[in-house]
Structures are given as C-alpha cells and as structure tokens.
Amino acid sequence: LDSSACDCCQTSITYTDKGPLVVYRDRSEKEVRDIYITRNINDVWETPIPVYNDGWVIYGCPVNGPKVVSNSNNLAVSWFTVSNEKPTVNLSFSEFYGSSFGNPIKINDHDAIGRVDVAFLNDQEVLVSYMEGDDVGTYLRMKKVSISGKLSEPITISKIDGGRNTGVPQLEILNNEIFIVWTVFENEKNQLKIVKLSSKDI
C-alpha cells in the first residue's frame, strides 16, 4: 500500500459499502509524518492521499497512530500531530466515503498527548477519546463531536500515567453502552482498567 510509513505508529482500518480503507502515519523522504488514507475501490487500492497536510517533521516515530471509523458514507479520522510546535489532537470528517475530508477540528484543550480512539455514537456524532496534560496531571478524556462541528465539554474518564505503560486506551460502543479500557501498572504488574458509561448520559 505504501513503501514508506511510520514504523511504530498503529494503523487503522474500516469498511464501507464501497470497500475497505486504511489510515496510517506516512513517512516522506523529508521526514514529514502526516496521516494518509488509501481506499480499495473495485478491488484496486488507490494512491494514498493525506487526510490533512499538517506538515509535521519528526526524526523518529512518535508511536501515536490514527484511528478511523465509518458509518454508511460518513467517516471520522482522529489523530495526534505537532503542528506549529503545538501538540494537538485533531478530528476530521468525510461525507464521501473518504474521497475527501473537511478541515480538522481541534479536540484537546491542554497539551495533547494523543493516543486516540473514535467511535460513532449515532449517524451524526462520534466520541473521541484522547490523553492530555496540564500543570496538575495527565488525563484520559472524551468529547462528543457532531459532523456539523459542534463539540461537547470534555468528559474526564480518569487521571492517567502519561508514560508508555498506559498503552493506547481503547474505546468501543456496544448496545448503547460505552467502554473505555487502558493499561495500568499496579502491584508490580500490568493490569487493565475499564470504565463503562451509558450513551444516554453523554
């Protein structure tokens, strides 16, 4: 699909009625590491295109991949970048099966750490989970975002270790219940923590 991609960033895949598509962090010869998408249309993989040109140059893998989710013709991609030296979590929607995307919506309010996930709450709204830090600590948070661009206030899921041992928190919505799972290191071993919320309360 691509001969040069960011080595350690997670890739993400989803499926629409036009076929599968993959979102990942690209790596150019000049070490620009922006988020790209490639689609399989009529059993042919298209040439990858950027979701957005952040222009983030980094000489090493940030280990901070994107996530993509689909609902009919609508797609949402969330990702971490450092654009203009500002750590940012972005979200962008496509209403055309990923053939083009709208301008990014900034999700974080403080210094973004990223490690994002995203899920459709209904056909017009998604939930985005992400990590950010301030002068007090680091937090796992979530926001509701509509295709029209409206953002909810942040929902703090938990205070969280900002290091690598927390992994990449996972977000899923099943039967109107929201689950967020992440790794903690307690009692000398890695363990999982989970929070369950009702979508009716969001």
Side-chain angles (χ1 to χ4, degrees):
L1 302 182
D2 194 314
S3 60
S4 180
C6 212
D7 296 35
C8 302
C9 282
Q10 307 87 344
T11 58
S12 186
I13 188 169
T14 190
Y15 196 89
T16 73
D17 56 15
K18 288 187 177 294
L21 57 90
V22 175
V23 175
Y24 62 98
R25 189 178 297 282
D26 186 53
R27 179 184 181 184
S28 76
E29 292 181 358
K30 295 182 178 180
E31 299 292 5
V32 178
R33 304 201 184 211
D34 289 343
I35 304 303
Y36 273 59
I37 182 172
T38 179
R39 307 186 303 165
N40 186 300
I41 304 294
N42 298 322
D43 293 327
V44 176
W45 286 98
E46 296 182 336
T47 300
I49 60 171
V51 174
Y52 186 76
N53 289 306
D54 293 309
W56 184 19
V57 177
I58 177 173
Y59 297 93
C61 183
V63 194
N64 218 327
K67 290 303 288 280
V68 61
V69 66
S70 60
N71 184 311
S72 184
N73 58 298
N74 294 323
L75 273 76
V77 177
S78 187
W79 71 96
F80 172 81
T81 187
V82 181
S83 184
N84 298 320
E85 300 183 356
K86 295 180 180 179
T88 305
V89 169
N90 282 330
L91 175 79
S92 187
F93 287 105
S94 171
E95 298 182 62
F96 310 102
Y97 296 99
S99 61
S100 63
F101 284 85
N103 288 328
I105 301 166
K106 181 185 174 185
I107 301 299
N108 58 295
D109 299 302
H110 301 282
D111 289 337
I113 296 172
R115 303 188 209 170
V116 301
D117 205 350
V118 61
F120 267 96
L121 184 62
N122 52 58
D123 61 3
Q124 292 295 312
E125 296 174 313
V126 298
L127 289 178
V128 182
S129 61
Y130 60 99
M131 292 171 58
E132 66 177 4
D134 57 22
D135 294 337
V136 178
T138 304
Y139 301 90
L140 173 58
R141 289 187 166 130
M142 183 172 65
K143 279 187 180 180
K144 180 170 65 173
V145 190
S146 70
I147 290 176
S148 64
K150 182 180 178 180
L151 283 84
S152 73
E153 291 298 314
I155 300 167
T156 299
I157 304 300
S158 177
K159 198 168 184 179
I160 192 171
D161 189 326
R164 296 285 186 205
N165 59 348
T166 55
V168 179
Q170 300 293 297
L171 167 69
E172 294 290 343
I173 301 175
L174 299 169
N175 299 323
N176 295 319
E177 291 185 319
I178 302 159
F179 299 88
I180 301 182
V181 185
W182 68 98
T183 306
V184 295
F185 187 75
E186 292 181 354
N187 301 321
E188 302 300 318
K189 58 184 177 182
N190 286 321
Q191 301 183 48
L192 294 177
K193 281 199 171 181
I194 185 169
V195 167
K196 182 174 74 169
L197 303 169
S198 171
S199 61
K200 298 175 183 178
D201 298 329
I202 300 300

